[in-house]
Amino acid sequence: MFKRLHHVGIAVRTLDEGAAKWGPEGIGLIEDGREDVHEAKTRVAMFPVGESRVELLEAMGPDTPVGKFLASRGPGIHHLCFEVDDIEAECERLRGLGVRLLYDAPRPGAHGSRVMFLHPKDTGGVLIELNEFAA
Ligand code: CO
């Protein structure tokens, strides 16, 4: 099952623009670092909030998942991420429930994690990321 809500992903036009709103010059969260996630063609900046985080997402180009999201919907909430212990078992469980997964198998994510996304049409219009973190 899902262990906890790990982060909320927010699409931004640029990390600097997003950081100005979410960081110390904005509502006051503290940035914990940035990372290029080439597999997802995004740059991410993390802002811890207790046990959870806000993850800002900048597209590496217009023809990328976040680039297309920005073009159609503009900046805003992009996905919710739930941490899981065993991503293969979760994918199997969800497939068994008829939930469509966006990849055939988990893919590399930030910080050595492995990720899967659930089709928003099967989750009430919300893109959900599952993340199994490196031990
Ligand atoms: Co995420």
Side-chain angles (χ1 to χ4, degrees), residues 53-122:
R53 292 135 200 276
V54 170
E55 176 188 70
L56 301 186
L57 303 157
E58 175 188 307
M60 285 184 178
D63 195 25
T64 63
V66 173
K68 289 174 189 164
F69 178 92
L70 284 166
S72 68
R73 299 169 68 167
I77 293 180
H78 179 264
H79 67 270
L80 303 182
C81 175
F82 294 103
E83 182 177 354
V84 298
D85 280 328
D86 181 343
I87 198 163
E88 271 85 12
E90 270 310 291
C91 289
E92 228 16 72
R93 184 179 74 83
L94 291 160
R95 273 196 194 96
L97 296 173
V99 175
R100 284 167 287 177
L101 308 180
L102 297 195
Y103 314 139
D104 291 334
R107 292 189 179 181
H111 304 292
S113 63
R114 294 189 306 141
V115 304
M116 175 59 79
F117 286 92
L118 314 186
H119 199 297
K121 288 203 170 128
D122 294 336

Side-chain angles (χ1 to χ4, degrees), residues 25-44:
E25 310 157 41
I27 61 175
L29 303 187
I30 303 298
E31 187 175 328
D32 190 24
R34 298 186 179 190
E35 184 173 355
D36 288 357
V37 184
H38 292 282
E39 189 73 29
K41 298 188 176 71
T42 58
R43 297 188 183 89
V44 308

